[in-house]
Amino acid sequence: MTKRIEQLEAGDEIADKEIRSLLNDAQRAELDSAWEQQQQLRANKRARTEQEQQALGWKNKRQVRIEVLKAALASAWDGIEAEFERLKEQAEIRGAKIYFDTLNQALKDGKDKSVAANLANNAMTRAGLRRMDGQPIGMQGLTKRDRELRAMEDAIQQKAESEMDDYEREQLELLQEYEKAVLANSKKRGG
């Protein structure tokens, strides 16, 4: 819409149907009524010079279109935060419904609590929503650039590991075992 406004202000010709396609029904009616008012103004009050036209409030079709498009753009931005919050809330409700429905069904089927939670989180992943346990969803949801960066980082890490001597390899293995033990211990504590 901003591109079309800039084109109109620059003096470019834009087809009427293209402008109308950017507007909703109420905005189209506003455009039509604004142009009708200009036609009535021209029929009732004649002006001979541009100064008289400006004093009487005459506008050409381009100026009327620019005004209506600017008003439509402003109204679109006015409601964007509320719409974002509404969509965010809907996603949270949908996620909670999927999670708890799957969790309850798994518990009714006699599954263990942790298994039921895993099944519910898997259902969240399948739905394309953030998991309740906070685990990343892997490559899903990443842009092409992010996937390429991860692949490059993995290749660099593999190359660095292949160039390690025995002592460095042993230290890396010790570090990995320590991190696994810390993770397992924090899971036992419930953190």
Side-chain angles (χ1 to χ4, degrees):
M1 200 176 285
T2 54
K3 181 181 173 186
R4 296 298 178 228
I5 292 171
E6 290 170 3
Q7 287 177 333
L8 283 170
E9 288 175 340
D12 296 343
E13 284 296 321
I14 300 175
D16 188 47
K17 74 177 187 176
E18 190 171 337
I19 290 175
R20 288 181 168 283
S21 69
L22 298 172
L23 305 172
N24 62 28
D25 292 336
Q27 293 163 343
R28 284 187 207 113
E30 184 182 338
L31 177 67
D32 292 337
S33 68
W35 182 241
E36 285 178 26
Q37 287 176 348
Q38 284 299 312
Q39 289 176 328
Q40 289 174 358
L41 181 65
R42 290 172 188 221
N44 294 337
K45 299 180 180 178
R46 295 283 176 195
R48 301 203 190 308
T49 65
E50 284 188 36
Q51 293 170 345
E52 289 177 1
Q53 289 175 356
Q54 288 178 351
L56 292 173
W58 278 23
K59 297 175 187 159
N60 60 24
K61 190 112 179 172
R62 179 184 315 273
Q63 291 168 328
V64 171
R65 287 177 175 173
I66 290 171
E67 279 184 7
V68 171
L69 283 174
K70 283 184 178 180
L73 184 63
S75 70
W77 280 109
D78 287 344
I80 200 161
E81 286 182 25
E83 181 67 14
F84 177 74
E85 288 299 320
R86 186 185 67 80
L87 291 173
K88 184 177 168 186
E89 188 175 310
Q90 276 183 341
E92 288 174 1
I93 291 169
R94 181 175 166 248
K97 184 177 182 338
I98 290 170
Y99 182 84
F100 287 113
D101 286 350
T102 308
L103 183 72
N104 287 334
Q105 186 60 44
L107 290 173
K108 284 179 185 174
D109 293 343
K111 306 274 192 221
D112 184 37
K113 244 184 182 179
S114 62
V115 172
N118 284 338
L119 289 172
N121 279 311
N122 291 343
M124 295 286 285
T125 302
R126 280 192 300 275
L129 299 170
R130 184 178 299 141
R131 296 170 59 101
M132 293 289 191
D133 61 3
Q135 286 185 4
I137 304 177
M139 293 295 213
Q140 184 180 12
L142 296 179
T143 64
K144 181 181 175 186
R145 180 179 176 274
D146 290 338
R147 287 191 293 272
E148 290 172 353
L149 283 174
R150 282 201 181 171
M152 286 171 37
E153 288 171 351
D154 292 342
I156 291 169
Q157 187 171 3
Q158 287 176 354
K159 183 179 179 195
E161 288 177 9
S162 69
E163 295 175 354
M164 287 181 177
D165 60 53
D166 291 342
Y167 177 73
E168 291 171 332
R169 218 175 265 119
E170 181 183 358
Q171 293 298 315
L172 179 65
E173 289 172 6
L174 287 172
L175 175 67
Q176 289 171 344
E177 287 175 14
Y178 174 75
E179 289 174 347
K180 283 182 185 177
V182 167
L183 182 64
N185 195 17
S186 68
K187 283 186 178 181
K188 283 182 187 175
R189 290 187 196 158

